[in-house]
Amino acid sequence: MACTRRKFMKSTAQATFAGTASAGFFLSGCNKKDSSNKVKLGVSGFSADAYRKLIDELGFTDKTGIEVEVVLRPKTTNELLMQMASSIQAGTSPYDILDFEDSIAMSLSRAGWLAPLDDLISQDVWDDFTPALMKMTKDWDQYKGQTFRIHHNFELCYWWYRKDWFDSKGIAVPKTWDDVSAMGKVFTDKAAGIWASEEGLIKNCNLSVYLEWITRQAGGNPYQAGPELQAALRYIHDLMFKHDVMNPSCIQKNYDQQNNDYIADRVAFMRQWPFFYDVTRQHKKWFNEDKVVCGLPPVGPAGAASSTYACGWGWGIPKTAPRYDQACELLKFLISVENSPKLLKYSNWFLNARHSVLNAAGEDGLVKYLKMYLDAGIVTTRPFHSRRYTEAVSKIENIASAYLTNQITLADAMKSTRKKMDLL
Amino acid sequence: MHQNKRKAILVFAILVAPVILLRLATAAYPIGQTIWLSMTDTHLFESEHAFVGLDNYRNLFADPEFRSILGFSLVFIVASTLLEIFFGLLIASLLNTKFKGRFLARTINLLPWAIPTIVAAYAFQWLLDDQFGMFSHWISQFTGMRPSVMSSALNARITLILVNVWKNASFMAIIFLAGLQGVPQELYEAARVDGAGPLTRFFKITIPMLMPLLITMGMFFLIWQLTNFDLVYGLTSGGPGTATTIVPLNIFHEGLIFFKFGYASAISVILMVFVAVLGLVGVWQFRRFDY
């Protein structure tokens, strides 16, 4: 049957109408608000099981009638930032309550996307904070006089070393920067791929962590681009190229590669986050206590009090959370003096410097090291850039990475850093 | 007659309008908005935004870091495309000869292209690891040295280009193979009778016959690779320093991580101009050769 122009027009019009109607139907579905009553708690994959268990066993739903759904948030800071930016601009949020890290805290709070939490925090909760945790909260969780995040986790940069290697060589662990500089001659064997020390220094917040750590030991804040940063950069460069202490190729390594090198018996000592404690114990054939010992970090020019810093993850509530009231109830439940120490039973992820938590933690495992560091009085807070932290981290990583691969001189690196920080 | 013409114009307008509306919404509006944003200091964290004229562009070109990123982006796309054409032709010529297992060889050739780029990027990060990497292991077996490929700017740049070539040359080869199969065999036979050797046949017959394809694929890959993101993000994160950062990664950082929409838009406009210029060169080439 021939298709006349009239028939063609008619069928085209019908198809257009059908298409428009179905698109409208689809779009109206997209606009529907999430009608589920479950509070969505956004957490990282590695802590999800612990969260599900504790929510279930501590009886939050029984006590409040509010159901909780533990949902996974993106693994990386960048992905989460993108997700939150687009959803908050659209007036909603994929999470009612979120577990997030320092760099996210800086960005979300400065953007004004987090709800103030002060009304949810009772005085007994504040009294439960140790001075170290309180200092960290003031720096990292409060902005313009309001608290926007509560830490559940208090992570230190720990210094790990091979006690068995030091014992077999009959030498003491390095106590100062100068001692560290001498370790290259003792341990490094380039042909065998063994180095006295190694770090994961790839950009995307790995290099900045180490730079912040070393600059703190030098007595400063890298984002102020002062002489302490200069001393830190020179020290790291010397460790790589003058003293053969640190593997120069670690500038493009991530934490997985760094940990693998340690577990493959190629590194004598290094800085790493507390998760390394669990990583090493998963390698049962390789592991023994003398291979992974935590010691006090070598002391830099600023003295022992600035040997390491604390940072951590915590809970916050987006201003656009669809179930805001229920999220507040869940937050109050999680941070209460009664429940906070109970969380530790489910994971080290909830180990922090609250009195109730430390009292309940005992002396085993990581707690031993945390208490050792706190008792030694060597913990300071993580340095930060108040206005544009994420951007400052990226700029300083670019410059440091260029200097540590000999693309620019130290003078150029410092000049460039000052200029970039001034522009922020 | 006059009424018929009006009716035809109306029908034309009704039929074409949806497509025009679609292109306006998905191309013209975003481009216009990006150009407008590039002339403002819009930052997602700030509530007030101002018109700053060409300040973003001025700041960009005054920034040595951006100039270096732009320079490497050019080197990256040109070197990658030339090498991909070279190896693509080489592989296609090999696959076009008759040998046992040719079908299997053609299938295996496509494997690098079939691997998702981000997976390939992370795999190469491990393959090139100075302690555990397969390549480092082989080199250390032969030379006793452990090369630290990614810790020097030059080596990281070369590595990035080579991995990109490895990934895309196979696709180029398949396209050229189709082209080679369309070259009449009589031309080769006639040339052989005239005493032309393999090299002469290649340069005097194969290359001219494939020229339309070479130009098409060359232009396509130049533009395509200008928007490459995942390989750089996964393999080097743009480092060391900004040695391997290319323009799309720079836009990602400025726009979606730092939320500097105005500044990122200015970089996007520069990238768009780049792509447009390349496209125009391509069109000009087509006209020049009258394909």
Side-chain angles (χ1 to χ4, degrees):
Chain A
M1 198 169 72
C3 180
T4 62
R5 194 169 68 178
R6 183 174 293 277
K7 275 184 185 165
F8 173 73
M9 291 285 287
K10 199 176 162 188
S11 55
T12 304
Q14 282 170 343
T16 309
F17 178 75
T20 310
S22 53
F25 184 70
F26 171 73
L27 290 173
S28 69
C30 289
N31 196 32
K32 248 183 206 164
K33 282 208 164 183
D34 185 355
S35 57
S36 159
N37 277 326
K38 288 184 178 175
V39 177
K40 291 200 168 137
L41 169 61
V43 305
S44 272
F46 53 81
S47 61
D49 285 342
Y51 270 109
R52 288 193 186 103
K53 225 172 161 188
L54 74 89
I55 296 284
D56 188 34
E57 292 180 7
L58 295 181
F60 173 71
T61 305
D62 294 340
K63 288 172 188 166
T64 61
I66 300 168
E67 287 188 85
V68 180
E69 184 183 351
V70 174
V71 291
L72 298 188
R73 47 151 276 185
K75 191 179 167 191
T76 65
T77 301
N78 291 349
E79 286 170 60
L80 181 65
L81 263 183
M82 280 193 287
Q83 187 191 46
M84 292 306 289
S86 56
S87 60
I88 288 172
Q89 292 296 303
T92 183
S93 165
Y95 320 105
D96 299 302
I97 178 167
L98 181 64
D99 184 1
F100 56 98
E101 60 272 45
D102 288 337
S103 42
I104 292 282
M106 280 291 160
S107 297
L108 297 191
S109 62
R110 272 53 179 176
W113 293 343
L114 293 172
L117 307 176
D118 293 276
D119 291 344
L120 309 176
I121 307 166
S122 58
Q123 191 54 46
D124 63 331
V125 171
W126 286 127
D127 293 343
D128 197 30
F129 279 36
T130 57
L133 182 57
M134 201 61 229
K135 172 86 173 81
M136 189 164 85
T137 300
K138 277 187 178 148
D139 283 355
W140 284 91
D141 299 340
Q142 294 179 336
Y143 182 59
K144 292 186 174 171
Q146 288 182 324
T147 308
F148 55 84
R149 183 174 67 147
I150 292 284
H151 270 97
H152 63 69
N153 157 296
F154 187 80
E155 300 206 319
L156 307 183
C157 292
Y158 289 105
W159 190 75
W160 307 92
Y161 69 98
R162 294 285 304 249
K163 184 171 181 301
D164 52 345
W165 286 14
F166 279 93
D167 287 349
S168 71
K169 300 252 183 207
I171 54 168
V173 293
K175 298 246 180 280
T176 64
W177 278 16
D178 288 341
D179 293 346
V180 171
S181 301
M183 291 292 119
K185 283 186 186 133
V186 180
F187 290 110
T188 299
D189 177 354
K190 288 186 192 174
I194 295 169
W195 292 84
S197 187
E198 188 171 284
E199 297 291 331
L201 298 183
I202 196 162
K203 299 191 301 176
N204 282 344
C205 298
N206 289 22
L207 175 54
S208 62
V209 163
Y210 185 66
L211 206 55
E212 286 165 357
W213 192 59
I214 292 293
T215 312
R216 262 294 186 243
Q217 292 181 358
N221 174 342
Y223 307 108
Q224 288 167 355
E228 299 86 2
L229 173 66
Q230 188 166 351
L233 283 171
R234 186 183 289 120
Y235 173 63
I236 301 168
H237 192 273
D238 285 352
L239 289 183
M240 286 179 172
F241 300 104
K242 191 172 167 190
H243 304 302
D244 284 338
V245 171
M246 193 187 290
N247 183 357
S249 68
C250 67
I251 199 74
Q252 284 296 93
K253 291 196 182 201
N254 57 34
Y255 288 154
D256 288 339
Q257 290 170 297
Q258 176 193 358
N259 294 345
N260 266 341
D261 289 348
Y262 189 99
I263 290 160
D265 301 325
R266 302 204 170 164
V267 178
F269 55 88
M270 64 186 203
R271 182 219 69 88
Q272 188 51 284
W273 293 112
F275 78 94
F276 185 61
Y277 179 88
D278 292 325
V279 168
T280 52
R281 277 156 180 79
Q282 285 160 11
H283 294 261
K284 287 179 180 145
K285 280 187 185 164
W286 170 85
F287 177 78
N288 75 49
E289 292 289 344
D290 280 352
K291 287 183 174 176
V292 195
V293 175
C294 179
L296 296 179
V299 174
S306 301
S307 293
T308 195
Y309 65 74
C311 65
W313 287 47
W315 300 297
I317 299 175
K319 269 185 178 166
T320 49
R323 285 155 290 262
Y324 177 78
D325 293 337
Q326 292 96 319
C328 291
E329 287 304 312
L330 179 57
L331 185 84
K332 280 197 275 185
F333 181 83
L334 291 169
I335 65 172
S336 71
V337 181
E338 181 198 351
N339 288 324
S340 211
K342 291 181 190 166
L343 304 185
L344 193 56
K345 193 177 85 184
Y346 298 93
S347 169
N348 274 333
W349 190 233
F350 304 106
L351 176 60
N352 62 45
R354 287 176 64 164
H355 293 298
S356 60
V357 175
L358 291 174
N359 290 339
E363 297 293 333
D364 294 332
L366 262 179
V367 184
K368 182 175 68 184
Y369 299 136
L370 174 60
K371 287 184 176 175
M372 178 173 88
Y373 274 45
L374 286 174
D375 291 345
I378 61 167
V379 180
T380 178
T381 52
R382 184 180 191 174
F384 67 102
H385 187 280
S386 176
R387 209 168 113 77
R388 299 268 169 86
Y389 179 69
T390 316
E391 195 176 344
V393 163
S394 178
K395 303 287 180 202
I396 215 160
E397 280 190 333
N398 283 343
I399 295 163
S401 176
Y403 169 62
L404 295 173
T405 48
N406 298 314
Q407 295 178 59
I408 53 174
T409 64
L410 182 57
D412 288 340
M414 288 308 298
K415 195 175 146 194
S416 185
T417 307
R418 277 186 212 110
K419 198 173 164 192
K420 299 266 180 194
M421 293 302 124
D422 285 347
L423 286 173
L424 292 180
Chain B
M1 183 68 188
H2 186 66
Q3 201 179 4
N4 277 348
K5 199 177 173 190
R6 256 171 56 185
K7 209 172 169 185
I9 290 171
L10 187 69
V11 170
F12 173 78
I14 291 170
L15 291 175
V16 168
V19 180
I20 290 182
L21 282 174
L22 186 74
R23 292 311 288 158
L24 283 174
T26 58
Y29 171 72
I31 289 172
Q33 182 70 6
T34 304
I35 292 171
W36 166 248
L37 273 175
S38 75
M39 290 186 278
T40 68
D41 63 356
T42 304
H43 192 297
L44 205 57
F45 293 177
E46 312 289 342
S47 51
E48 286 177 14
H49 314 300
F51 179 80
V52 294
L54 296 176
D55 277 4
N56 285 330
Y57 295 95
R58 256 192 295 274
N59 291 339
L60 271 172
F61 286 106
D63 183 0
E65 193 176 288
F66 178 71
R67 290 202 301 266
S68 152
I69 290 169
L70 204 59
F72 176 65
S73 301
L74 266 177
V75 171
F76 176 74
I77 60 162
V78 172
S80 294
T81 305
L82 289 177
L83 286 170
E84 279 158 12
I85 289 175
F86 174 75
F87 284 109
L89 263 178
L90 210 66
I91 297 166
S93 303
L94 283 172
L95 293 177
N96 199 35
T97 56
K98 284 180 184 160
F99 60 92
K100 246 184 180 176
R102 186 168 66 159
F103 178 74
L104 187 69
R106 285 177 179 177
T107 311
I108 290 171
N109 165 63
L110 266 180
L111 283 180
W113 181 69
I115 296 171
T117 309
I118 192 73
V119 175
Y122 284 125
F124 268 95
Q125 202 180 41
W126 279 102
L127 286 169
L128 295 162
D129 184 282
D130 71 318
Q131 302 279 11
F132 296 102
M134 188 173 76
F135 295 135
S136 316
H137 174 72
W138 286 345
I139 294 169
S140 76
Q141 290 292 308
F142 288 117
T143 64
M145 285 160 54
R146 283 182 178 275
S148 176
V149 179
M150 304 303 259
S151 61
S152 115
L154 180 65
N155 289 348
R157 283 172 166 170
I158 292 171
T159 305
L160 185 73
I161 290 169
L162 291 181
V163 173
N164 193 34
V165 171
W166 168 83
K167 180 86 182 65
N168 293 319
S170 54
F171 177 66
M172 196 78 105
I174 287 296
I175 303 291
F176 289 153
L177 182 61
L180 283 175
Q181 287 170 347
V183 179
Q185 287 304 305
E186 296 81 24
L187 293 177
Y188 290 113
E189 281 158 19
R192 208 172 284 129
V193 169
D194 288 344
L199 274 180
T200 311
R201 290 201 299 272
F202 183 76
F203 284 108
K204 298 285 184 186
I205 299 172
T206 308
I207 294 286
M209 292 302 286
L210 284 184
M211 195 52 87
L213 214 50
L214 285 172
I215 290 174
T216 311
M217 293 305 288
M219 294 314 302
F220 175 65
F221 269 69
L222 277 174
I223 294 170
W224 188 30
Q225 279 164 157
L226 203 53
T227 56
N228 200 326
F229 171 81
D230 34 8
L231 181 66
V232 187
Y233 185 76
L235 183 61
T236 63
S237 297
T242 50
T244 57
T245 302
I246 57 173
V247 175
L249 187 68
N250 195 218
I251 295 171
F252 168 73
H253 281 138
E254 298 288 349
L256 296 172
I257 305 303
F258 312 151
F259 299 121
K260 290 162 72 176
F261 287 175
Y263 198 70
S265 296
I267 309 176
S268 302
V269 170
I270 291 168
L271 182 65
M272 189 181 70
V273 170
F274 239 86
V275 172
V277 168
L278 280 174
L280 284 175
V281 171
V283 171
W284 173 67
Q285 283 293 321
F286 277 117
R287 284 195 178 160
R288 196 176 149 220
F289 286 98
D290 198 22
Y291 295 124

